[in-house]
Amino acid sequence: MQRTSHHTLRANFRKLLESNACYHTASVFDPMSARIAADLGFEVGILGGSVASLQVLAAPDFALITLSEFVEQAVRIGRVSRLPVIADADHGYGNALNVMRTVIELERAGIAALTIEDTLLPAKFGHRSTDLIGMFEAVGKIRAALEARIDPAMSIIARTHAGVIGVAEVIARTKAYQEAGADGICLVGIEDFDHLEQIAEHLSVPLMLVTYGNPRLRDNARLAALGVRIVVNGHAAYFAAIKATYDCLREQRQIDASDLTASELSVKYSTAEEYMVWAEEYMQVKE
């Protein structure tokens, strides 16, 4: 495969956003998966924060991975990638100033685009991991991200969770992010096309959906007509790798097959239960 500059990959991603089609991402998590995705003809990949947390730390998606650890993995992928890769940059690893550092480091790593979400991370004890920060603070993060960007071809995508707030607030937030200069809007938690239409009609920038394979959103032509250019179905490739590793090692030890699914294996070996115990012990505020 011919080598491609990071700027060219970013420009190629821009062309996807400016097109009239809808593209599905390949979940890439290391250099080999990125090369496989490109060879199979995927137009775009995504490095998920949850996947990076599992791969680097064997830890669940509790905002435990640091910026430097995430960037290290992005650098490895960016060194060999032949397709543009979106980085799930979570909340930017802190406030607006942290967001600026995040953009600088991921741009140097070769990332073509990144999402900055308005989630309150890390979650407070006893609160949902989907609690959101204030809209004006989130706007400040988007503006900071745009200021930190050096290559104008790199895309800054603002992300919000449409499944935990009302439609009116989703519209207000996404319009504010659009007006702040975001190159696209990423929506999580869209229920169906009616839900999507209510939001999309107020926006003019390209949309990115995280659907996790929602069967009610599987009409590519209809998605494209509503401005959706990028769809993230999930990270099945990495979970399949976990299952394949487990089965290979299990067979070597001549152990009977387990009924656990790939997702269940990832929970088992990420020691999620230990983290919940530690959270109870060390994070609960006792008056």
Side-chain angles (χ1 to χ4, degrees):
M1 287 185 279
Q2 186 177 1
R3 298 183 66 184
T4 308
S5 73
H6 293 155
H7 176 78
T8 298
L9 291 174
R10 291 168 185 147
N12 290 344
F13 181 75
R14 288 273 180 173
K15 291 177 183 177
L16 301 183
L17 293 183
E18 294 165 2
S19 73
N20 295 317
C22 178
Y23 301 90
H24 291 254
T25 61
S27 178
V28 299
F29 46 86
D30 62 6
M32 188 66 77
S33 62
R35 291 178 66 85
I36 290 171
D39 190 55
L40 291 174
F42 278 90
E43 296 86 0
V44 60
I46 185 166
L47 172 60
S50 58
V51 170
S53 183
L54 284 171
Q55 188 176 35
V56 175
L57 302 175
D61 192 17
F62 291 162
L64 296 169
I65 192 169
T66 64
L67 172 60
S68 59
E69 290 168 330
F70 186 74
V71 168
E72 284 173 4
Q73 200 66 359
V75 167
R76 296 184 184 104
I77 293 170
R79 189 179 294 128
V80 302
S81 183
R82 302 298 178 266
L83 81 168
V85 175
I86 305 166
D88 170 11
D90 286 340
H91 63 320
Y93 296 90
N95 61 28
L97 300 183
N98 297 109
V99 167
M100 297 182 81
R101 172 80 190 283
T102 297
V103 170
I104 290 168
E105 297 299 335
L106 288 174
E107 182 173 342
R108 289 176 177 171
I111 289 298
L114 57 86
T115 59
I116 299 291
E117 61 188 85
D118 54 8
T119 311
L120 178 62
L121 294 174
K124 295 181 179 180
F125 179 79
H127 286 243
R128 300 175 302 174
S129 60
T130 51
D131 288 350
L132 306 184
I133 62 175
M135 183 175 69
F136 295 110
E137 181 182 356
V139 166
K141 286 189 173 187
I142 298 305
R143 292 178 57 231
L146 294 166
E147 175 65 25
R149 176 178 65 186
I150 296 173
D151 185 352
M154 188 172 75
S155 299
I156 305 296
I157 301 173
R159 169 173 158 166
T160 195
H161 201 309
V164 298
I165 54 178
V167 171
E169 185 176 351
V170 176
I171 293 170
R173 282 177 176 263
T174 54
K175 285 179 66 177
Y177 304 159
Q178 175 178 277
E179 291 168 6
D183 299 301
I185 299 293
C186 176
L187 296 168
V188 184
I190 294 293
E191 298 172 359
D192 50 33
F193 277 105
D194 289 340
H195 191 194
L196 177 60
E197 287 172 355
Q198 292 178 66
I199 300 165
E201 66 177 345
H202 297 278
L203 300 170
S204 58
V205 295
L207 302 181
M208 172 177 168
L209 293 189
V210 180
T211 68
Y212 299 112
N214 183 345
R216 292 173 290 181
L217 293 167
R218 285 184 179 169
D219 186 333
N220 265 16
R222 193 171 177 186
L223 288 171
L226 289 170
V228 177
R229 299 293 171 257
I230 306 295
V231 173
V232 180
N233 294 309
H235 302 289
Y238 184 63
F239 292 107
I242 292 174
K243 183 69 162 62
T245 301
Y246 173 82
D247 285 336
C248 179
L249 296 178
R250 175 187 56 74
E251 289 173 5
Q252 289 182 34
R253 297 294 290 179
Q254 299 181 345
I255 296 173
D256 291 339
S258 169
D259 293 331
L260 295 177
T261 65
S263 295
E264 289 168 341
L265 285 169
S266 72
V267 172
K268 177 179 180 179
Y269 292 110
S270 71
T271 61
E273 291 183 1
E274 288 185 6
Y275 283 101
M276 296 302 293
V277 170
W278 292 333
E280 180 82 25
E281 179 68 22
Y282 305 119
M283 293 174 59
Q284 185 175 17
V285 177
K286 300 176 181 179
E287 301 296 339

